[in-house]
Amino acid sequence: MHPLDKATQLTAGDASMPMTDTDLAEFYAYPSRPPTGVVLRANMVGSIDGVATVDGRSGGLGGPGDKQLFMVLRALSDAVVVGARTAFAEGYGPVQPHAGLADLRLRSGQAPTAKLVLLSSSLAIPTEDPLLTDPGTVVATCSRAPADARSRLIDAGAQLIDCGDERVDPAAVTRHLADIGAWRVLCEGGPSLLGSLVAAGLLDELCVTVSPLLTAGAGKHITTGDGTTRPMRRMHVLGDDEDYLYVRWVREQH
């Protein structure tokens, strides 16, 4: 049985319910667009003790249910934002269409797939990777990124946008996405990027898959940063028959 075929909404007691992709799309539907800006959601997987990677990658923590949710969250978004280092370490490819949710995207006025936005201040990116030249990929960098690296990537066919001076400014990235109508934004990490979003007060939602593993802290926390704290409110918790938990947290409104 697929882990999310019988998920339990733990906040509503012990009642079981099927979790198809359509069900998950309803559970994780974006709220209405704010008057200005974007709705910025992050999706991370972590161990019971809060570590984001095993042997340097997040893949060792996930399972079939986490992969299903990963694909659904991408299918709901207009743009997927991720640190370039994370994308290449995890072996990212272009964002693929989700056949089961194609009609939902059409009704929502969305493109068939989300844009992929790679963040890199250094532009230390391999030009031979096909991800770089995919039409749906944009590299968000800063105006003072190394000129030789910038020229190398442009010559290779990459699309670059400047979002900041000394380093990539996440707020400038979100402003750019808002300007082009890509307001449903999904961040997939890594921990440093997520920490910068928390510190800047930009994060509206955090979706966390809690893997049933203890790692004794042998890896990065799901966020790294300056220790900023932000109050969040639990929207829902889902559980599956492989002991994974899927928690959706939303920004606490004051």
Side-chain angles (χ1 to χ4, degrees):
M1 179 181 294
H2 194 288
L4 287 184
D5 283 347
K6 276 197 173 180
T8 304
Q9 189 180 2
L10 300 182
T11 53
D14 296 328
S16 294
M17 61 183 299
M19 282 284 110
T20 64
D21 289 349
T22 301
D23 292 327
L24 286 172
E26 293 179 2
F27 268 91
Y28 288 90
Y30 277 83
S32 300
R33 182 176 186 175
T36 59
V38 302
V39 176
L40 179 55
R41 163 187 290 169
N43 181 38
M44 298 289 283
V45 60
S47 65
I48 295 170
D49 44 350
V51 168
T53 60
V54 173
D55 296 327
R57 297 185 62 183
S58 63
L61 292 166
D66 177 60
K67 184 176 181 180
Q68 179 190 4
L69 180 57
F70 176 90
M71 299 304 292
V72 168
L73 293 182
R74 281 189 159 200
L76 295 175
S77 69
D78 298 316
V80 175
V81 174
V82 62
R85 197 177 325 178
T86 295
F88 290 108
E90 298 285 347
Y92 268 48
V95 178
Q96 298 297 321
H98 191 300
L101 298 177
D103 287 345
L104 176 63
R105 291 188 67 88
L106 183 63
R107 293 195 302 271
S108 300
Q110 295 174 278
T113 60
K115 292 181 177 294
L116 181 62
V117 184
L118 306 180
L119 273 60
S120 176
S121 297
S122 68
L123 294 181
I125 295 174
T127 56
E128 67 276 7
D129 195 300
L131 177 63
L132 184 66
T133 55
D134 184 89
T137 301
V138 176
V139 178
T141 188
C142 54
S143 58
R144 297 190 183 179
D148 57 342
R150 180 187 295 271
S151 297
R152 177 172 51 85
L153 293 177
I154 292 174
D155 289 346
Q159 302 177 64
L160 271 62
I161 56 171
D162 286 334
C163 295
D165 297 324
E166 297 287 344
R167 59 180 56 85
V168 179
D169 177 5
V173 176
T174 60
R175 287 195 298 269
H176 168 77
L177 293 174
D179 288 345
I180 64 173
W183 65 271
R184 306 170 188 89
V185 181
L186 174 65
C187 175
E188 294 179 347
S192 296
L193 174 55
L194 183 54
S196 71
L197 297 177
V198 173
L202 296 172
L203 191 68
D204 297 301
E205 298 191 8
L206 177 60
C207 302
V208 181
T209 296
V210 182
S211 174
L213 292 175
L214 284 170
T215 65
K220 285 187 175 181
H221 192 268
I222 65 170
T223 63
T224 59
D226 62 2
T228 299
T229 61
R230 302 286 181 188
M232 304 290 281
R233 176 174 57 85
R234 189 185 70 242
M235 188 74 170
H236 68 239
V237 183
L238 306 177
D240 66 31
D241 56 8
E242 291 192 355
D243 292 327
Y244 281 82
L245 295 176
Y246 307 89
V247 191
R248 180 183 178 189
W249 297 93
V250 298
R251 183 200 295 264
E252 187 67 71
Q253 301 295 330
H254 296 288

